[in-house]
Amino acid sequence: MNHGVLRTSFILALMPSAVFAIGDTEPNDTLDTAVPTGLIDGGTVHVFAGAIGDGPLGYADRDIYAIDVSPDADLPVTLTATIDAADNYDAYMRVFDDQGLDIAFGDDASGEDLNPTVRTYLLAPGTYFIGVSHSMNPGYDPGDDETGRPAELGTYDLDITLSPAPAIDSSLEPNDDQPVIVDAEPFFALHQFIGDGPNLRLDVDRYAITLAGPSIVRAVAADAGDGSFDPVLTITVDGTTFLATDRPRADSMAQEIAFAVPDASTIEVAVRGTHNAPDPPELRYGDVGFYDLVIAVTPVTTGGGPYEPNDSLLEAVAGGSGGPGSTTIAAVIGDGVYGHTRGDVDFFNVFLAVDERLDVTVQPSDDEQALDPVVHLFGFTGEHLDSWIADGDGVVRASFVRYCQTPEPCKEGDQYVVAIMGAGDRLTTDPLIPNPFSTIGEPPDTLYAVDGGFGSTGAYEATFTIDPYPSPIPAPPIEPTAHAAGDVHTETPTPTPIGSTTALDRVFAVQLDAHADSIVELDPTTGDFVNAFAAPESPMGGAEGLAFDGTDLFLVGSGGRYPILYRLNADTGDVLDSTNTWFGSGTYGDIAFVKGD
């Protein structure tokens, strides 16, 4: 239906640059009864003293206003609509096409400003509609006055402006089906427009990159207009699409993604608008707007100098010749591309056959800046297998055995990756990406330990030893012991009241931090801080559980499939003992100490 036929003849006499005012005329709850604003192609209309609740729908009232884009308009046309509501009224705004489909919506301008503003682009001639309601009545059908829900009543003013859009003079269309070939490094696609393709509001801009070998691809898509376009950014590798979920800044209209591609291949980066309408697909509308795109490709080498760069799994260098034997490597944590800004991570490849044992010893140098080492073990595809920290002598002594205990034959040999780093630092979430990843053109982020210093750095010697280690013969299953009926012993402990002087009358907690965690002791009566010290290195995230046995603390980390269980001095935080655990098919949510006889 062409709702434009409802306009009266005086509208055609208005100049596109006109600024004029109209009132809220009821009923105006549907597209057919929308108030004609007289706004065509350009200019501003001011709706004064609008009211939600003065129409026949009462508490389910909404007000709908019509604007027009003529066939002679220079497309696209910018639409800006702003509500100024009285008495902190929580208004909501929607924009429809002539079929009643949503093409934009607006809610609170900020946490404190409840007045919505909508900025979008109108891509084709026709009649468009702006709907105003309370935020608790956002889902009404603009074609049916029997829809909607009761909500608070209030008054508002509304400004609607149509203006020329910035020129689209650098469009790379058509690139919906045939992607643009990325032929520069870095690649910039600036002031591109989602909405100038043949699919209009479902426009997708695609870019293809051919990688000559293992590479790290970084892409950033950001609003290039008035700050209203929030792009969707994806990378497609071997038919699988990955969605960008990181923002360079929390308040930015931008998306950022980094992806490690292990082989020579052609990948695709795509930008589109957010789909803000539901199924069916043919009725979906996406946001439209201007964006800038930057794509950077970093080929991954296999080392540099004696060992650097070896800051990721893809850059790992040889840690042994393969087969039984021993190899010693002298290296430094802190000499990598990120230097002392965030500590260094050295990755080394080792090759293990079935029934072989790998022993890794990391011995710090004897100088005053001795490294406090931490060792992680990964599978070749990046799965985290194990972690070790230094013993009382400051040395890491790690062991791993490759068994084959599956019904199917195992591969004769497989590659593993040993990562050596300093305590107080953290691995990135993805060991395929060098540590750290930051916004294109920005320096690496600085990550501090709990005490305000950097992660440990220094020289070390790493010895990789591979020996045969036959698989153990599985022990027969243990038969459960039968008990006579009633042969159950229970004991109900007597709780210790707050204010007692027993050793158990101490309260500890883990204080999580994005950079590093700390353990704090609290006064059980007041909750005040009594003591605090750094948690031990927890490689893959924050601590998961804390328990106290009256003398020592027990802390379990979240270090992947084998979280580390630490025994700590409750007064100093010194590590007294540690062991790897197994979480099975879940993760530990907490731990507890149960006193026995």
Side-chain angles (χ1 to χ4, degrees):
M1 178 183 297
N2 183 359
H3 299 276
V5 298
L6 298 176
R7 310 294 170 270
T8 53
S9 59
F10 80 92
I11 296 175
L12 300 177
L14 294 171
M15 297 297 293
S17 60
V19 178
F20 51 96
I22 63 172
D24 167 21
T25 304
E26 292 288 348
N28 58 349
D29 305 301
T30 65
L31 303 187
D32 286 333
T33 60
V35 175
T37 64
L39 194 59
I40 304 178
D41 296 348
T44 297
V45 61
H46 176 72
V47 179
F48 62 92
I52 298 298
D54 63 343
L57 299 185
Y59 285 94
D61 188 26
R62 61 274 192 159
D63 295 340
I64 299 180
Y65 303 89
I67 59 177
D68 289 281
V69 175
S70 73
D72 298 329
D74 292 329
L75 300 174
V77 174
T78 303
L79 165 65
T80 305
T82 302
I83 290 177
D84 182 12
D87 300 323
N88 210 32
Y89 183 71
D90 191 3
Y92 190 86
M93 183 160 40
R94 296 166 67 185
V95 180
F96 311 100
D97 68 3
D98 60 4
Q99 302 301 309
L101 299 177
D102 287 85
I103 61 175
F105 65 92
D107 200 353
D108 305 341
S110 67
E112 298 179 355
D113 185 358
L114 302 182
N115 291 315
T117 294
V118 168
R119 295 185 181 90
T120 189
Y121 298 91
L122 309 180
L123 307 180
T127 301
Y128 297 87
F129 302 86
I130 292 90
V132 179
S133 67
H134 189 270
S135 63
M136 294 301 293
N137 182 25
Y140 59 87
D141 181 347
D144 184 355
D145 60 5
E146 296 184 358
T147 63
R149 57 182 295 181
E152 184 179 342
L153 309 182
T155 59
Y156 64 90
D157 288 348
L158 169 66
D159 288 317
I160 306 171
T161 299
L162 295 180
S163 59
I168 307 174
D169 53 10
S170 57
S171 175
L172 297 175
E173 291 289 346
N175 58 351
D176 290 57
D177 300 314
Q178 295 297 322
V180 174
I181 302 301
V182 173
D183 56 2
E185 166 47 41
F187 174 83
F188 296 90
L190 303 180
H191 201 64
Q192 296 301 299
F193 186 71
I194 292 296
D196 62 347
N199 296 315
L200 297 179
R201 304 196 80 87
L202 294 182
D203 188 20
V204 180
D205 289 356
R206 304 182 189 275
Y207 302 85
I209 309 111
T210 298
L211 305 176
S215 303
I216 294 169
V217 180
R218 295 180 171 93
V220 178
D223 175 86
D226 53 18
S228 62
F229 181 58
D230 193 8
V232 174
L233 176 66
T234 60
I235 285 184
T236 300
V237 182
D238 294 332
T240 302
T241 299
F242 301 87
L243 176 67
T245 57
D246 295 325
R247 294 188 185 276
R249 299 190 318 276
D251 61 344
S252 67
M253 300 292 276
Q255 293 290 345
E256 182 175 26
I257 192 170
F259 199 85
V261 183
D263 301 300
S265 60
T266 298
I267 69 171
E268 180 181 276
V269 174
V271 182
R272 62 174 175 82
T274 305
H275 286 162
N276 54 39
D279 289 333
E282 63 270 17
L283 298 182
R284 287 182 176 177
Y285 275 71
D287 295 338
V288 296
F290 290 90
Y291 71 91
D292 291 335
L293 174 68
V294 182
I295 301 174
V297 178
T298 304
V300 176
T301 63
T302 56
Y307 303 111
E308 295 290 345
N310 60 345
D311 300 283
S312 68
L313 189 144
L314 291 177
E315 298 171 315
V317 297
S321 58
S326 183
T327 301
T328 298
I329 292 174
V332 175
I333 295 297
D335 65 343
V337 64
Y338 302 110
H340 290 270
T341 61
R342 187 178 172 174
D344 189 12
V345 184
D346 290 349
F347 284 78
F348 298 94
N349 285 323
V350 292
F351 188 87
L352 290 179
V354 175
D355 296 342
E356 283 190 336
R357 168 174 168 155
L358 168 67
D359 291 303
V360 180
T361 302
V362 179
Q363 172 74 56
S365 63
D366 294 331
D367 59 33
E368 294 181 358
Q369 301 296 323
L371 175 70
D372 182 6
V374 176
V375 173
H376 306 286
L377 181 67
F378 295 91
F380 182 65
T381 56
E383 66 274 21
H384 182 254
L385 301 177
D386 216 333
S387 297
W388 300 269
I389 61 174
D391 58 19
D393 297 325
V395 179
V396 172
R397 296 177 173 88
S399 295
F400 177 80
V401 178
R402 182 170 182 247
Y403 290 134
C404 182
Q405 295 181 325
T406 62
E408 299 81 13
C410 294
K411 290 193 300 183
E412 292 185 1
D414 213 346
Q415 189 166 322
Y416 296 83
V417 183
V418 175
I420 301 173
M421 61 185 295
D425 209 342
R426 298 292 178 98
L427 284 172
T428 53
T429 302
D430 184 355
L432 294 168
I433 297 176
N435 179 16
F437 162 64
S438 61
T439 306
I440 294 173
E442 296 294 329
D445 298 329
T446 300
L447 184 64
Y448 297 94
V450 172
D451 62 358
F454 300 105
S456 176
T457 58
Y460 66 92
E461 282 192 351
T463 301
F464 303 87
T465 303
I466 298 175
D467 290 313
Y469 198 88
S471 299
I473 299 175
I478 300 175
E479 295 294 333
T481 302
H483 294 276
D487 187 18
V488 178
H489 300 277
T490 62
E491 179 181 348
T492 302
T494 301
T496 302
I498 291 180
S500 69
T501 58
T502 66
L504 286 174
D505 188 27
R506 301 177 69 181
V507 177
F508 296 87
V510 177
Q511 190 171 33
L512 300 180
D513 184 86
H515 295 163
D517 302 334
S518 59
I519 297 174
V520 297
E521 182 175 0
L522 307 174
D523 185 293
T525 303
T526 66
D528 294 336
F529 280 89
V530 176
N531 188 22
F533 46 80
E537 198 273 344
S538 181
M540 303 299 284
E544 291 291 338
L546 187 67
F548 178 56
D549 71 351
T551 302
D552 298 327
L553 286 170
F554 295 84
L555 176 75
V556 63
S558 59
R561 187 166 289 275
Y562 300 91
I564 299 176
L565 175 64
Y566 301 92
R567 186 176 192 137
L568 308 175
N569 184 299
D571 297 314
T572 65
D574 293 339
V575 177
L576 305 176
D577 196 7
S578 65
T579 185
N580 289 102
T581 62
W582 171 258
F583 72 70
S585 61
T587 57
Y588 294 117
D590 211 336
I591 60 173
F593 174 78
V594 179
K595 183 178 180 181
D597 293 333

